[in-house]
Amino acid sequence: MTGAPRQSILRALMRRRVFREASDEEWRDWRWQLRHSVRSLEELARLVPLTEDERRGCLETKEIFRLGISPYYLSLIDPEHPFCPVRMQAIPRGAEALRSPGELRDPLGEDRHRPVRAIVHKYPDRVLLLALDHCPVYCRHCTRRRITSGEEGGISREELDEAVAYLREHREVRDVLVSGGDPLLLSTARLVELLEQIRAVPHVEIIRIGTRVPVCLPMRIDEELARALRRFAPLFVVTHFNHAKEVTPEAREACELLVDHGIPVENQAVLMRRVNSSARAIKDLMQKCLTMRVRPYYLHQMDLAEGLEHLRTPLQKGIEILGALRGWTSGLAVPHLAVDLPGGGGKVTLQPDYLLERRERETLLKSYRGETYSYPEPRETDCSVPYDEVYYR
Ligand SMILES: *Cc1c(COP(=O)(O)O)cnc(C)c1O
């Protein structure tokens, strides 16, 4: 048996084997899930037959980065296959303890742009707000591991107040991306309180919440939370599915609940070697996201965080995958391929080069099928908009 039926049977077996004692009610309670998260090699080895490499990974990363897997996410693991994409995202390998040339503790040069501890202000009109340092699952590919490892210490209420004060003082900020850690691990009451403070800043136009909860702890998203978030529109939820295997009925229910309440949901995936680094896996993921009304936003090239060399792909691989999407499937399913420049240059996007040659009166372009076409350039090149002077006066 293959495909979706095999996956759902595997999941049922895993749940029974792993958390036999849990009632359905407990299983659907996100706080039960957090209380029963697997946080040590000993617990994990009792539940999943680990490979030697995974055992070594757990031991050697013990002092470097947190281990934490919600029972729900653990139940998606294929116990028989060491290259299961869920398994590779949740269970460390020996290679994660290695440092490779060029890797950085602060790969995106964020610490130079933290005017207050809980704010990263790197772009002209938008900021990242770090709400807390905890997650329902610690992704082995985490780029902010210096924060989510707990090494910096948690983020206090005073530091969040200080962040909101910074927003108030900086009129150029029109977009606030609340992330961390996973902000949906805050209680709904605490989250609402924080969002109220942000919404009260008059120049903040949009709020985004960066969360992996729909993927790793979908039971957190209930009617109460969806209603609460709707009050802060325009508010976007940006989530993080990396493989079609994560698109379960529970994840679908969580995303659809948000969308049904008028909250747009976007996805940011990370391209990871041997986890999802094929055109087939990425295309399937993007198409499945759309069936949940989740819009693919970024496909991230892996950052140069410490210990992630084994998960990095050559830049050309991402470009090639994008070439296999554009034109071949719905444009809505095509994400931007983003490279966040090491050291702090910010994100840039890459795509196959469709531009072949610029001539005086025409430009030669390549179609998605690789054939050459000519686009005749207009005679007039002045593109200033006369009405701008009226509309923006
Ligand atoms: C990615 C990112 C943003 C948001 O960038 P968009 O391209 O607008 O999605 C904002 N701040 C930081 C520090 C980021 O890394």
Side-chain angles (χ1 to χ4, degrees):
M1 196 185 301
T2 56
R6 176 166 184 275
Q7 296 301 328
S8 76
I9 289 172
L10 262 181
R11 288 191 51 210
L13 284 175
M14 270 301 273
R15 179 178 157 190
R16 220 173 310 149
R17 164 153 138 208
V18 172
F19 294 96
R20 196 175 305 132
E21 76 288 5
S23 68
D24 284 351
E25 195 185 336
E26 285 172 325
W27 188 260
R28 281 194 299 262
D29 173 356
W30 67 281
R31 295 193 184 272
W32 181 93
Q33 289 275 336
L34 287 182
R35 278 199 305 278
H36 290 80
S37 278
V38 172
R39 299 182 192 280
S40 70
L41 167 60
E42 295 67 37
E43 288 172 86
L44 186 58
R46 252 186 280 126
L47 304 172
V48 181
L50 297 179
T51 64
E52 218 21 68
D53 190 15
E54 288 170 328
R55 262 175 204 285
R56 208 155 48 80
C58 289
L59 288 172
E60 291 176 4
T61 60
K62 201 168 167 208
E63 308 296 324
I64 303 176
F65 191 47
R66 286 170 173 152
L67 175 69
I69 313 171
S70 65
Y72 165 80
Y73 200 62
L74 192 73
S75 79
L76 306 189
I77 284 180
D78 187 331
E80 288 158 17
H81 205 305
F83 284 91
C84 161
V86 173
R87 187 164 175 161
M88 289 180 76
Q89 291 180 69
I91 304 179
R93 303 282 166 120
E96 198 184 311
L98 304 175
R99 300 281 167 87
S100 301
E103 290 180 346
L104 301 165
R105 196 184 105 83
D106 176 19
L108 307 178
E110 293 179 336
D111 292 345
R112 288 184 285 117
H113 299 277
R114 287 169 78 178
V116 296
R117 178 134 183 275
I119 293 266
V120 180
H121 192 175
K122 211 158 95 171
Y123 296 98
D125 66 344
R126 55 208 189 280
V127 301
L128 175 68
L129 189 153
L130 305 168
L132 77 175
D133 72 342
H134 281 83
C135 295
V137 169
Y138 290 94
C139 302
R140 303 328 301 178
H141 55 280
C142 182
T143 191
R144 291 207 180 86
R145 49 181 49 226
R146 71 188 188 288
I147 295 166
T148 48
S149 65
E151 173 184 329
E152 269 196 5
I155 292 154
S156 68
R157 183 176 281 263
E158 290 68 36
E159 285 167 329
L160 285 177
D161 289 342
E162 185 186 36
V164 174
Y166 180 87
L167 298 180
R168 253 185 253 119
E169 286 158 22
H170 288 262
R171 309 248 332 245
E172 71 276 21
V173 178
R174 39 161 294 288
D175 176 357
V176 179
L177 173 46
V178 183
S179 183
D182 199 313
L184 295 189
L185 287 192
L186 295 171
S187 68
T188 303
R190 180 65 190 109
L191 180 66
V192 163
E193 192 183 355
L194 176 63
L195 293 172
E196 275 171 348
Q197 284 179 291
I198 298 171
R199 219 353 123 223
V201 180
H203 49 270
V204 171
E205 294 172 3
I206 67 170
I207 300 174
R208 300 188 243 181
I209 294 187
T211 174
R212 216 178 176 203
V213 150
V215 187
C216 299
L217 194 67
M219 46 292 282
R220 166 69 181 104
I221 295 173
D222 54 15
E223 184 83 21
E224 185 201 10
L225 178 69
R227 283 216 191 118
L229 294 179
R230 176 64 180 86
R231 282 176 44 210
F232 300 98
L235 177 148
F236 298 72
V237 165
V238 184
T239 190
H240 180 33
F241 288 91
N242 285 324
H243 195 277
K245 195 170 154 72
E246 296 167 332
V247 181
T248 63
E250 292 92 327
R252 177 178 296 279
E253 198 182 319
C255 294
E256 291 183 342
L257 192 62
L258 292 170
V259 180
D260 283 346
H261 281 78
I263 302 157
V265 183
E266 318 274 323
N267 189 61
Q268 303 196 343
V270 177
L271 187 58
M272 281 177 276
R273 192 170 77 91
R274 312 189 87 187
V275 175
N276 61 7
S277 52
S278 68
R280 183 185 192 177
I282 294 294
K283 188 167 158 187
D284 185 25
L285 170 65
M286 300 303 158
Q287 290 173 341
K288 286 219 165 63
C289 280
L290 286 180
T291 68
M292 303 186 286
R293 288 171 285 164
V294 172
R295 174 75 216 274
Y297 179 39
Y298 281 134
L299 174 62
H300 291 280
Q301 176 70 22
M302 177 66 75
D303 295 327
L304 282 127
E306 291 167 335
L308 301 185
E309 164 88 20
H310 62 297
L311 293 174
R312 289 205 287 128
T313 54
L315 282 171
Q316 188 52 36
K317 187 38 122 181
I319 295 173
E320 197 183 295
I321 290 174
L322 237 64
L325 298 185
R326 173 62 64 201
W328 299 98
T329 188
S330 318
L332 282 171
V334 185
H336 303 286
L337 174 61
V339 185
D340 216 333
L341 299 172
K347 293 180 191 67
V348 292
T349 57
L350 295 179
Q351 62 163 353
D353 200 356
Y354 296 108
L355 204 151
L356 293 174
E357 191 186 335
R358 267 187 243 269
R359 296 182 177 163
E360 177 83 16
R361 294 300 317 284
E362 64 171 356
T363 298
L364 297 186
L365 299 159
K366 194 172 74 176
S367 77
Y368 70 95
R369 292 180 185 274
E371 305 137 340
T372 302
Y373 287 82
S374 161
Y375 181 86
E377 299 287 355
R379 254 182 297 273
E380 294 294 349
T381 56
D382 173 10
C383 295
S384 59
V385 179
Y387 201 69
D388 276 0
E389 297 308 317
V390 179
Y391 193 76
Y392 297 106
R393 191 159 46 205

PDB file of all heavy atoms in Angstrom, residues 192-207:
ATOM      1  N   VAL A 192      -4.072  38.130  22.916  1.00  0.00           N
ATOM      2  CA  VAL A 192      -4.999  39.220  22.628  1.00  0.00           C
ATOM      3  C   VAL A 192      -4.482  40.526  23.232  1.00  0.00           C
ATOM      4  O   VAL A 192      -4.510  41.580  22.598  1.00  0.00           O
ATOM      5  CB  VAL A 192      -6.422  38.881  23.137  1.00  0.00           C
ATOM      6  CG1 VAL A 192      -7.306  40.114  23.231  1.00  0.00           C
ATOM      7  CG2 VAL A 192      -7.062  37.827  22.231  1.00  0.00           C
ATOM      8  N   GLU A 193      -3.970  40.431  24.431  1.00  0.00           N
ATOM      9  CA  GLU A 193      -3.433  41.616  25.098  1.00  0.00           C
ATOM     10  C   GLU A 193      -2.295  42.238  24.269  1.00  0.00           C
ATOM     11  O   GLU A 193      -2.266  43.451  24.034  1.00  0.00           O
ATOM     12  CB  GLU A 193      -2.928  41.179  26.480  1.00  0.00           C
ATOM     13  CG  GLU A 193      -2.609  42.296  27.425  1.00  0.00           C
ATOM     14  CD  GLU A 193      -2.038  41.751  28.747  1.00  0.00           C
ATOM     15  OE1 GLU A 193      -1.997  40.524  28.942  1.00  0.00           O
ATOM     16  OE2 GLU A 193      -1.619  42.575  29.564  1.00  0.00           O
ATOM     17  N   LEU A 194      -1.388  41.370  23.795  1.00  0.00           N
ATOM     18  CA  LEU A 194      -0.269  41.858  22.980  1.00  0.00           C
ATOM     19  C   LEU A 194      -0.769  42.454  21.664  1.00  0.00           C
ATOM     20  O   LEU A 194      -0.349  43.534  21.244  1.00  0.00           O
ATOM     21  CB  LEU A 194       0.713  40.698  22.719  1.00  0.00           C
ATOM     22  CG  LEU A 194       1.897  41.000  21.805  1.00  0.00           C
ATOM     23  CD1 LEU A 194       2.808  42.078  22.408  1.00  0.00           C
ATOM     24  CD2 LEU A 194       2.710  39.719  21.534  1.00  0.00           C
ATOM     25  N   LEU A 195      -1.708  41.756  21.012  1.00  0.00           N
ATOM     26  CA  LEU A 195      -2.229  42.256  19.730  1.00  0.00           C
ATOM     27  C   LEU A 195      -2.984  43.575  19.912  1.00  0.00           C
ATOM     28  O   LEU A 195      -2.940  44.452  19.058  1.00  0.00           O
ATOM     29  CB  LEU A 195      -3.116  41.201  19.063  1.00  0.00           C
ATOM     30  CG  LEU A 195      -2.373  39.930  18.593  1.00  0.00           C
ATOM     31  CD1 LEU A 195      -3.363  38.868  18.117  1.00  0.00           C
ATOM     32  CD2 LEU A 195      -1.363  40.251  17.486  1.00  0.00           C
ATOM     33  N   GLU A 196      -3.661  43.698  21.039  1.00  0.00           N
ATOM     34  CA  GLU A 196      -4.363  44.966  21.312  1.00  0.00           C
ATOM     35  C   GLU A 196      -3.364  46.119  21.411  1.00  0.00           C
ATOM     36  O   GLU A 196      -3.601  47.210  20.888  1.00  0.00           O
ATOM     37  CB  GLU A 196      -5.185  44.873  22.603  1.00  0.00           C
ATOM     38  CG  GLU A 196      -6.558  44.268  22.362  1.00  0.00           C
ATOM     39  CD  GLU A 196      -7.330  43.962  23.653  1.00  0.00           C
ATOM     40  OE1 GLU A 196      -6.719  44.005  24.749  1.00  0.00           O
ATOM     41  OE2 GLU A 196      -8.522  43.653  23.537  1.00  0.00           O
ATOM     42  N   GLN A 197      -2.249  45.848  22.067  1.00  0.00           N
ATOM     43  CA  GLN A 197      -1.215  46.890  22.199  1.00  0.00           C
ATOM     44  C   GLN A 197      -0.664  47.272  20.819  1.00  0.00           C
ATOM     45  O   GLN A 197      -0.448  48.440  20.537  1.00  0.00           O
ATOM     46  CB  GLN A 197      -0.053  46.390  23.071  1.00  0.00           C
ATOM     47  CG  GLN A 197      -0.328  46.349  24.549  1.00  0.00           C
ATOM     48  CD  GLN A 197       0.902  45.805  25.281  1.00  0.00           C
ATOM     49  OE1 GLN A 197       1.235  44.623  25.157  1.00  0.00           O
ATOM     50  NE2 GLN A 197       1.584  46.668  26.021  1.00  0.00           N
ATOM     51  N   ILE A 198      -0.448  46.257  19.971  1.00  0.00           N
ATOM     52  CA  ILE A 198       0.106  46.542  18.644  1.00  0.00           C
ATOM     53  C   ILE A 198      -0.935  47.280  17.796  1.00  0.00           C
ATOM     54  O   ILE A 198      -0.631  48.272  17.129  1.00  0.00           O
ATOM     55  CB  ILE A 198       0.555  45.235  17.947  1.00  0.00           C
ATOM     56  CG1 ILE A 198       1.666  44.559  18.752  1.00  0.00           C
ATOM     57  CG2 ILE A 198       1.014  45.508  16.515  1.00  0.00           C
ATOM     58  CD1 ILE A 198       2.041  43.155  18.264  1.00  0.00           C
ATOM     59  N   ARG A 199      -2.178  46.809  17.842  1.00  0.00           N
ATOM     60  CA  ARG A 199      -3.254  47.426  17.046  1.00  0.00           C
ATOM     61  C   ARG A 199      -3.514  48.880  17.452  1.00  0.00           C
ATOM     62  O   ARG A 199      -3.971  49.698  16.658  1.00  0.00           O
ATOM     63  CB  ARG A 199      -4.508  46.597  17.214  1.00  0.00           C
ATOM     64  CG  ARG A 199      -5.429  46.321  16.102  1.00  0.00           C
ATOM     65  CD  ARG A 199      -5.275  46.967  14.774  1.00  0.00           C
ATOM     66  NE  ARG A 199      -5.143  46.039  13.670  1.00  0.00           N
ATOM     67  CZ  ARG A 199      -4.267  46.194  12.672  1.00  0.00           C
ATOM     68  NH1 ARG A 199      -3.431  47.218  12.642  1.00  0.00           N
ATOM     69  NH2 ARG A 199      -4.218  45.349  11.685  1.00  0.00           N
ATOM     70  N   ALA A 200      -3.197  49.185  18.697  1.00  0.00           N
ATOM     71  CA  ALA A 200      -3.439  50.550  19.182  1.00  0.00           C
ATOM     72  C   ALA A 200      -2.426  51.540  18.619  1.00  0.00           C
ATOM     73  O   ALA A 200      -2.578  52.752  18.775  1.00  0.00           O
ATOM     74  CB  ALA A 200      -3.406  50.568  20.713  1.00  0.00           C
ATOM     75  N   VAL A 201      -1.397  51.040  17.945  1.00  0.00           N
ATOM     76  CA  VAL A 201      -0.414  51.943  17.332  1.00  0.00           C
ATOM     77  C   VAL A 201      -0.978  52.380  15.976  1.00  0.00           C
ATOM     78  O   VAL A 201      -1.167  51.554  15.095  1.00  0.00           O
ATOM     79  CB  VAL A 201       0.950  51.229  17.151  1.00  0.00           C
ATOM     80  CG1 VAL A 201       1.968  52.168  16.525  1.00  0.00           C
ATOM     81  CG2 VAL A 201       1.456  50.678  18.487  1.00  0.00           C
ATOM     82  N   PRO A 202      -1.274  53.671  15.816  1.00  0.00           N
ATOM     83  CA  PRO A 202      -2.066  54.093  14.642  1.00  0.00           C
ATOM     84  C   PRO A 202      -1.392  53.833  13.300  1.00  0.00           C
ATOM     85  O   PRO A 202      -2.085  53.541  12.332  1.00  0.00           O
ATOM     86  CB  PRO A 202      -2.278  55.591  14.868  1.00  0.00           C
ATOM     87  CG  PRO A 202      -1.472  55.983  16.058  1.00  0.00           C
ATOM     88  CD  PRO A 202      -1.012  54.760  16.756  1.00  0.00           C
ATOM     89  N   HIS A 203      -0.057  53.924  13.218  1.00  0.00           N
ATOM     90  CA  HIS A 203       0.571  53.745  11.904  1.00  0.00           C
ATOM     91  C   HIS A 203       0.818  52.286  11.530  1.00  0.00           C
ATOM     92  O   HIS A 203       1.253  52.001  10.427  1.00  0.00           O
ATOM     93  CB  HIS A 203       1.880  54.548  11.828  1.00  0.00           C
ATOM     94  CG  HIS A 203       2.783  54.335  13.002  1.00  0.00           C
ATOM     95  ND1 HIS A 203       2.718  55.110  14.129  1.00  0.00           N
ATOM     96  CD2 HIS A 203       3.733  53.412  13.247  1.00  0.00           C
ATOM     97  CE1 HIS A 203       3.614  54.685  15.008  1.00  0.00           C
ATOM     98  NE2 HIS A 203       4.242  53.648  14.495  1.00  0.00           N
ATOM     99  N   VAL A 204       0.521  51.331  12.436  1.00  0.00           N
ATOM    100  CA  VAL A 204       0.670  49.914  12.072  1.00  0.00           C
ATOM    101  C   VAL A 204      -0.537  49.497  11.236  1.00  0.00           C
ATOM    102  O   VAL A 204      -1.659  49.464  11.718  1.00  0.00           O
ATOM    103  CB  VAL A 204       0.817  49.011  13.320  1.00  0.00           C
ATOM    104  CG1 VAL A 204       0.747  47.529  12.935  1.00  0.00           C
ATOM    105  CG2 VAL A 204       2.129  49.304  14.035  1.00  0.00           C
ATOM    106  N   GLU A 205      -0.285  49.196   9.964  1.00  0.00           N
ATOM    107  CA  GLU A 205      -1.380  48.844   9.065  1.00  0.00           C
ATOM    108  C   GLU A 205      -1.697  47.351   9.128  1.00  0.00           C
ATOM    109  O   GLU A 205      -2.852  46.959   9.270  1.00  0.00           O
ATOM    110  CB  GLU A 205      -1.019  49.211   7.614  1.00  0.00           C
ATOM    111  CG  GLU A 205      -0.876  50.708   7.399  1.00  0.00           C
ATOM    112  CD  GLU A 205      -0.338  51.051   6.011  1.00  0.00           C
ATOM    113  OE1 GLU A 205      -0.123  50.137   5.177  1.00  0.00           O
ATOM    114  OE2 GLU A 205      -0.128  52.246   5.763  1.00  0.00           O
ATOM    115  N   ILE A 206      -0.678  46.515   8.985  1.00  0.00           N
ATOM    116  CA  ILE A 206      -0.947  45.078   8.992  1.00  0.00           C
ATOM    117  C   ILE A 206      -0.110  44.354  10.051  1.00  0.00           C
ATOM    118  O   ILE A 206       0.967  44.796  10.440  1.00  0.00           O
ATOM    119  CB  ILE A 206      -0.722  44.411   7.604  1.00  0.00           C
ATOM    120  CG1 ILE A 206       0.750  44.432   7.186  1.00  0.00           C
ATOM    121  CG2 ILE A 206      -1.561  45.083   6.527  1.00  0.00           C
ATOM    122  CD1 ILE A 206       1.033  43.569   5.953  1.00  0.00           C
ATOM    123  N   ILE A 207      -0.692  43.227  10.510  1.00  0.00           N
ATOM    124  CA  ILE A 207      -0.019  42.375  11.491  1.00  0.00           C
ATOM    125  C   ILE A 207       0.093  40.987  10.860  1.00  0.00           C
ATOM    126  O   ILE A 207      -0.836  40.531  10.191  1.00  0.00           O
ATOM    127  CB  ILE A 207      -0.835  42.292  12.809  1.00  0.00           C
ATOM    128  CG1 ILE A 207      -1.005  43.689  13.422  1.00  0.00           C
ATOM    129  CG2 ILE A 207      -0.163  41.346  13.808  1.00  0.00           C
ATOM    130  CD1 ILE A 207      -1.915  43.722  14.654  1.00  0.00           C
TER     131      ILE A 207
END
